[in-house]
Amino acid sequence: MNKTLLISAVLATLALAACDQPTVVNVPATPVAVPGPAGPQGETGSQGATGYQGETGSQGATGYQGNEGVQGETGKTGDGTTVIVVPPEAAAPTN
């Protein structure tokens, strides 16, 4: 009985495997479009509309106070000579 069951199982497996054949389907190749010669040029398009004026930006923040500069050295004492600088005379208006 064991041999009969074994042989039946092997024959059933082979019979089912023989029935399961994939079907091959040949798909036709997609035709490739070949471009023809260029046509005549079209007319020039119309001028586009003018854009809107943008909004004015907001005012920037106030800057920081600068640091105080370094104090200069005291100047040397003069030799007693005084120099007077006279501004130039104003030119007379021309008529």
Side-chain angles (χ1 to χ4, degrees):
M1 172 137 170
N2 283 341
K3 291 181 183 179
T4 308
L5 183 62
L6 181 62
I7 291 172
S8 299
V10 170
L11 286 175
T13 305
L14 291 175
L16 290 174
C19 293
D20 189 24
Q21 296 293 326
T23 306
V24 178
V25 178
N26 290 331
V27 179
T30 306
V32 178
V34 178
Q41 183 167 348
E43 296 181 17
T44 304
S46 61
Q47 177 74 24
T50 303
Y52 295 108
Q53 176 73 25
E55 296 182 13
T56 304
S58 59
Q59 182 166 348
T62 304
Y64 294 110
Q65 174 78 21
N67 294 337
E68 187 174 329
V70 179
Q71 182 69 31
E73 296 179 9
T74 305
K76 296 179 182 178
T77 306
D79 59 2
T81 306
T82 305
V83 177
I84 300 174
V85 178
V86 180
E89 292 183 15
T94 14
N95 292 337

